[in-house]
Amino acid sequence: MSAHRRKPTTRSRRHPSRRRRAARTLLVCGCALVALTGGGAWYLYRDLAAGIGSSKALEGAERSKFGDSNILLMGLDSRRDQNGEKLPAEVLDKLHAGSSDIGGYNANTLILLHVPGDGSQAKAFSVPRDDFVDIPGHGKDKIKKAYGLAKERKQEQLAARGVEDGRHREQAGREAGRAAQIETVRNFLGVPIDHFAELNLAGFHHLADALGGVPVCLNKAVKDTYSGADFPAGPQTLDGGQSLAFVRQRHGLDGGDLDRTKRQQAFLAGAAKKLNSAGTFTDPAKLIKLLDVAKQDVVTDEGWDLSAFLKQAKNLSGGKVRFTTLPVERFGRNHGEDINVVDDMKIKRLIAEQIGPKDSAAPGTPGAPSSPSPSPSFSPSPSFSREAAPPPSSPSVPSAPQDVGGIPCVD
């Protein structure tokens, strides 16, 4: 009887044991699968990140202290790819960009993004493209021209030496252009530049499409046949072609180019918000897709750990970046071209007060006071027309625009 009673007990003990072993096996296999999948995604991501164009333009440059990072975002008004080849006609049609022979290599978008090492609020400073500044090796000219002037000079030198490889001349010219544009901005602002990212004209289009659209907000409806901008008032999501039209529009805006800088700021704020809300940072497939797109249009400095920055960039969305357009004193003309007349030392003091070294004045600002007076608020961007330039002593700024879900509404 006792033996008969022990049989069920033995079976009842063995059955849960088998189930536990099976569960453990499934768990181990599941973990292994996740690990293998994650590892595969990581290696694929690493390969894609390595495929993004890299540049030595910052080699040996001074770096920021205290863990801070200053990142220069450069948007080229070029209708050509990274090898200097013309963009396909169908792409140009979508971009409303005209011929491949126009646009040159002007850096029409220049934004310095300051990311503090202590985790405090990041700040982004838009440099108006027509600011009249010193360009090393050239003299005073519009700041946007530094890239193209140096590129052309380098290519002419190579051609004079008998270098016939067009692609080699293009790449060497671009490296010279990047170095010159970075040096010009560094000298103008008086702070180190730790990293940079260069985006060509098609990049705005591809980035917006990769994100599934970028949210923006307009205070009023706009229509511009030059850029292709045709948008209603209010919050909306723009696809690739619409995004490019949005950031390029200047005709029909009260402040012209200066209002366009606000469009660029709004686009970046919307893209950062979409990056975060869409789960791009936590979804390997989405991140890989974004990096794959970046290979077409983006060049960064060699050695920049993009994976670390992407984790950091997650904290830059949702209105956590303060955007500022650097002030213009008045407007003028130089050799028949419109220019922005700026006060170099005032710009340096403004930057030093907001993001300069914590223990001294910013580089390039000799004699700057150790305890500077509080700077006036320059955020959001000022809107000045060329017909009504702001007085030099009063770079006043309008009140903040309406904000919808962390996205600034712009005119």
Side-chain angles (χ1 to χ4, degrees):
M1 178 68 74
S2 59
H4 177 72
R5 287 174 182 169
R6 282 195 297 269
K7 268 189 173 181
T9 304
T10 304
R11 282 197 300 267
S12 64
R13 286 176 180 171
R14 287 176 181 172
H15 187 62
S17 177
R18 286 198 301 272
R19 283 187 299 185
R20 283 194 295 270
R21 284 198 299 271
R24 282 197 301 270
T25 301
L26 287 174
L27 181 61
V28 170
C29 290
C31 289
L33 181 61
V34 169
L36 288 172
T37 303
W42 166 249
Y43 283 116
L44 181 56
Y45 156 76
R46 189 178 66 178
D47 289 343
L48 285 170
I52 295 175
S54 63
S55 164
K56 296 181 182 293
L58 278 175
E59 197 169 60
E62 179 189 0
R63 302 291 174 170
S64 296
K65 300 177 181 178
F66 312 108
D68 294 356
S69 289
N70 292 328
I71 302 163
L72 180 62
L73 307 177
M74 299 191 299
L76 293 186
D77 192 32
S78 171
R79 277 72 166 166
R80 295 174 181 265
D81 63 19
Q82 292 183 24
N83 295 316
E85 302 294 334
K86 295 180 179 180
L87 294 175
E90 60 271 17
V91 173
L92 291 173
D93 288 342
K94 289 181 181 178
L95 303 182
H96 292 271
S99 167
S100 292
D101 296 322
I102 64 176
Y105 286 88
N106 288 331
N108 278 351
T109 302
L110 291 168
I111 298 177
L112 184 76
L113 175 64
H114 175 74
V115 184
D118 61 8
S120 57
Q121 185 184 39
K123 298 175 183 177
F125 300 88
S126 288
V127 182
R129 65 176 187 164
D130 291 340
D131 282 3
F132 198 58
V133 305
D134 286 315
I135 297 178
H138 174 74
K140 297 204 74 169
D141 213 325
K142 295 182 180 183
I143 195 168
K144 69 178 183 182
K145 291 186 177 183
Y147 192 115
L149 289 168
K151 177 181 182 295
E152 183 178 9
R153 185 165 56 248
K154 181 65 173 181
Q155 289 181 304
E156 288 176 350
Q157 292 171 352
L158 292 174
R161 284 162 39 192
V163 177
E164 298 181 358
D165 187 337
R167 180 166 291 194
H168 174 71
R169 290 202 305 265
E170 176 73 18
Q171 296 301 325
R174 289 204 176 193
E175 279 290 84
R178 290 165 191 140
Q181 191 67 65
I182 292 168
E183 183 181 6
T184 300
V185 174
R186 182 196 296 124
N187 292 346
F188 180 48
L189 302 185
V191 292
I193 293 177
D194 304 282
H195 301 292
F196 81 91
E198 172 190 307
L199 188 70
N200 66 20
L201 194 63
F204 288 99
H205 182 285
H206 295 148
L207 174 61
D209 280 348
L211 291 173
V214 172
V216 300
C217 179
L218 284 168
N219 288 323
K220 58 185 179 182
V222 295
K223 188 169 185 177
D224 171 37
T225 57
Y226 292 96
S227 65
D230 186 1
F231 310 120
Q236 53 206 286
T237 298
L238 306 183
D239 63 20
Q242 292 171 325
S243 294
L244 185 62
F246 178 78
V247 299
R248 290 184 65 228
Q249 184 187 1
R250 61 187 175 93
H251 296 282
L253 303 179
D254 292 340
D257 271 351
L258 294 182
D259 274 355
R260 178 158 67 170
T261 64
K262 292 194 293 185
R263 298 293 188 89
Q264 296 165 356
Q265 295 165 0
F267 175 84
L268 289 176
K273 181 178 178 65
K274 189 63 179 285
L275 276 168
N276 199 14
S277 62
T280 306
F281 296 105
T282 56
D283 187 327
K286 290 182 178 179
L287 186 57
I288 287 169
K289 179 182 178 182
L290 182 63
L291 289 168
D292 197 26
V293 167
K295 288 169 60 179
Q296 304 176 57
D297 309 303
V298 178
V299 174
T300 68
D301 55 286
E302 190 175 67
W304 187 7
D305 186 350
L306 288 177
S307 61
F309 176 70
L310 285 174
K311 294 176 184 177
Q312 188 179 35
K314 181 179 179 181
N315 299 318
L316 301 181
S317 61
K320 295 179 181 177
V321 179
R322 183 187 180 210
F323 285 96
T324 296
T325 298
L326 296 178
V328 171
E329 297 301 303
R330 57 186 173 85
F331 302 103
R333 303 276 290 177
N334 180 62
H335 297 299
E337 294 183 330
D338 291 325
I339 61 169
N340 301 331
V341 180
V342 294
D343 184 331
D344 295 45
M345 293 309 297
K346 181 186 289 186
I347 296 292
K348 287 181 173 66
R349 285 194 298 269
L350 167 65
I351 297 294
E353 290 164 6
Q354 296 203 27
I355 68 171
K358 300 172 179 61
D359 57 352
S360 64
T365 55
S370 58
S371 300
S373 57
S375 63
S377 172
F378 287 101
S379 180
S381 310
S383 298
F384 302 136
S385 67
R386 294 196 180 276
E387 291 74 23
S393 60
S394 179
S396 59
V397 179
S399 58
Q402 180 185 1
D403 186 272
V404 177
I407 304 299
C409 283
V410 295
D411 292 332

